[in-house]
Amino acid sequence: MSISDILVTGGAGYIGSHLVDALVARDYRVTVLDNLEPQVHRSGTWPSYANPNATYVKGDVRDRSVFEPLVLASQAVVHFGAAVSVGQSMYQIDRYVDVNTRGTALLLDILVNTKHKVEKIIVASSIGVYGEGAYECATHGPVAPTIRDEQQLARRDWEQHCPYCTSHVRSIPTPEDKALYRDNIYSMTKYHQEEMVLLIGKTYGIPSVAPRFFNVYGPRQSLSNPYAGVAAIWLSRLLNGKQPIVFEDGGQLRDFVSIHDVVDCLVLMLEKPGADYLPVNVGSGQTITILEIAKMLARLLGSSIEPQVTQTGRKFDIRHNTADITRAWQTLGFAPKVSLEDGFSELIGWAKTTPDVAVDFFDKALQELQEKGLLVKS
Ligand SMILES: NC(=O)c1ccc[n+]([C@@H]2O[C@H](COP(=O)([O-])OP(=O)(O)OC[C@H]3O[C@@H](n4cnc5c(N)ncnc54)[C@H](O)[C@@H]3O)[C@@H](O)[C@H]2O)c1
Ligand SMILES: [Zn+2]
């Protein structure tokens, strides 16, 4: 048997749509199941970039009557349909668990209780499953501190401490086997999804992979969704003549990976067995502070607007997390190709030429966080 029909849930979204294009170009028959979540698709219609050679079905991943026949017609399922925001998940708990955890439970329930021909499942996991990234103490070696408490943030003591000797620790790239600490509901649901898929995959012999995406950026990223990633939020602010808001001191380290590299990695996961039954970091392997990101975006945009560094924290934020991508290289031969400068230039070029793409709703999101008491006063 080989894979010819692929179902992509959430395939109208940002990462899914790029994957759909790549799969169609490789002659797979692709079906998309997507409910056109209004927070992502404000027009309520299929996006203009929908691929004319894919089939689009409007429906919810929690609805068995639509999901089951599509699963049964496929040899591979890429499960990306999800509610996607850390901050929002902390006050829309029921919705996040329902869409993400129960949607995945339904997929697995279908697979286990029907005669299907699925040979590969890919489920979108996230950097969020780690909580804090990996660290090293000069005295105690590798350590895994958990989320900073409110008192520490209020003191503006941003860096993590060693759990044993309390000295400050140094951020190192996070390998997949680092201890996991979810510190928000979204990340918990991502972990539910990954753990359930890998368990059922292993139990029933359905090869399954859980890519743990780091900060994915590129065209079609929702710039108007204030709950999306920082690069999109800041670009949207800059395009609207407003300062990017940078929490803490801006020294947080992250790994920004181009959507094109992500798609290459996903195709390898589909076509090669090397990463079967594993969670796999998908990042660039490059490290950068978020303040540098805000400045680079302004520079590439030709804007003189400086970021506003708040020197205040949010209760659910981690300090550093960057990707160790050794596993993706060793199991799949994955090697990222797009530099940050090139990738951000592409993102900006797209944002500038796409009408209405960057309506800035960030202030509203910030107000919501304030009202829910998720900002730390210092
Ligand atoms: N973008 C990132 O940096 C990043 C990082 C880590 C993990 N992820 C994960 O990758 C996947 C794709 O993320 P994205 O950035 O493309 O997000 P996105 O919001 O652009 O795409 C998600 C898609 O899922 C659809 N959807 C939402 N709820 C649904 C439901 N109940 N039924 C059917 N479809 C539904 C939305 O309409 C949207 O088209 C998600 O599972 C997300 O958790 C993304
Ligand atoms: Zn120590």
Side-chain angles (χ1 to χ4, degrees):
M1 283 258 286
S2 67
I3 295 172
S4 54
D5 296 87
I6 303 179
L7 174 63
V8 182
T9 74
Y14 158 47
I15 302 180
S17 70
H18 283 277
L19 179 65
V20 167
D21 289 347
L23 296 177
V24 166
R26 293 171 83 82
D27 288 333
Y28 290 104
R29 279 193 298 269
V30 180
T31 302
V32 166
L33 171 64
D34 197 299
N35 73 342
L36 294 174
E37 164 57 44
Q39 195 169 297
V40 184
H41 305 278
R42 276 181 299 133
S43 68
T45 55
W46 295 108
S48 55
Y49 52 71
N51 192 302
N53 295 315
T55 304
Y56 287 81
V57 177
K58 184 171 176 191
D60 199 297
V61 294
R62 293 165 294 179
D63 180 353
R64 191 172 203 127
S65 66
V66 220
F67 206 175
E68 183 166 308
L70 298 177
V71 172
L72 297 188
S74 312
Q75 289 93 37
V77 179
V78 178
H79 186 37
F80 284 178
V84 180
S85 162
V86 170
Q88 195 177 44
S89 77
M90 294 299 281
Y91 50 88
Q92 294 191 0
I93 300 159
D94 188 29
R95 180 164 88 90
Y96 273 73
V97 174
D98 200 46
V99 174
N100 299 1
T101 306
R102 194 164 73 78
T104 307
L106 176 58
L107 166 63
L108 298 172
D109 204 85
I110 291 168
L111 288 170
V112 165
N113 295 297
T114 57
K115 206 169 150 34
H116 68 84
K117 39 189 201 274
V118 172
E119 315 176 8
K120 183 79 83 164
I121 314 171
I122 294 186
V123 64
S125 184
S126 166
I127 175 185
V129 299
Y130 294 114
E132 278 288 349
Y135 292 84
E136 199 169 58
C137 168
T139 312
H140 295 98
V143 289
T146 55
I147 194 121
R148 297 159 297 174
D149 64 28
E150 204 175 330
Q151 288 76 14
Q152 180 179 348
L153 295 176
R155 285 196 306 273
R156 299 185 177 179
D157 175 13
W158 306 125
E159 295 298 338
Q160 279 286 2
H161 294 267
C162 173
Y164 307 111
C165 69
T166 71
S167 58
H168 278 137
V169 286
R170 188 172 70 86
S171 164
I172 55 171
T174 306
E176 286 84 353
D177 58 5
K178 188 198 85 79
L180 306 178
Y181 297 106
R182 279 74 59 204
D183 40 42
N184 60 76
I185 299 292
Y186 166 74
S187 298
M188 284 181 190
T189 67
K190 287 282 112 185
Y191 188 60
H192 298 153
Q193 292 189 275
E194 132 172 3
E195 198 177 30
M196 288 194 298
V197 167
L198 295 179
L199 171 71
I200 295 298
K202 215 179 256 180
T203 306
Y204 292 88
I206 313 168
S208 35
V209 192
R212 290 179 178 163
F213 298 126
F214 279 62
N215 293 57
V216 184
Y217 69 89
R220 301 180 191 165
Q221 177 160 15
S222 173
L223 302 190
S224 307
N225 181 348
Y227 312 102
V230 283
I233 292 169
W234 291 337
L235 186 50
S236 176
R237 298 277 295 177
L238 288 165
L239 287 168
N240 285 285
K242 294 183 186 167
Q243 285 181 291
I245 308 283
V246 177
F247 289 104
E248 306 185 13
D249 61 352
Q252 300 92 308
L253 291 168
R254 294 292 185 273
D255 181 310
F256 284 80
V257 58
S258 160
I259 183 65
H260 304 299
D261 286 329
V262 169
V263 166
D264 284 354
C265 192
L266 290 167
V267 169
L268 290 169
M269 287 172 175
L270 268 168
E271 295 183 346
K272 289 182 157 199
D276 288 353
Y277 308 114
L278 292 173
V280 180
N281 286 344
V282 182
S284 68
Q286 306 290 323
T287 293
I288 187 162
T289 69
I290 62 163
L291 184 58
E292 285 173 303
I293 292 285
K295 288 185 170 167
M296 186 189 286
L297 284 170
R299 176 168 57 76
L300 293 171
L301 202 57
S303 161
S304 57
I305 300 175
E306 288 283 327
Q308 181 191 334
V309 180
T310 65
Q311 296 288 351
T312 56
R314 295 186 297 184
K315 284 187 189 171
F316 49 81
D317 278 336
I318 56 155
R319 180 61 181 172
H320 306 297
N321 199 351
T322 64
D324 180 335
I325 55 170
T326 311
R327 179 176 287 177
W329 164 249
Q330 285 180 345
T331 59
L332 299 166
F334 168 64
K337 298 188 193 73
V338 184
S339 73
L340 213 48
E341 292 259 340
D342 288 352
F344 276 180
S345 301
E346 182 197 19
L347 176 68
I348 289 170
W350 166 79
K352 274 179 160 172
T353 52
T354 309
D356 294 336
V357 81
V359 182
D360 175 28
F361 293 114
F362 179 76
D363 291 328
K364 175 176 161 274
L366 194 62
Q367 194 187 337
E368 280 173 10
L369 291 178
Q370 214 141 22
E371 283 167 10
K372 303 285 181 217
L374 295 172
L375 300 178
V376 177
K377 291 182 197 72
S378 55

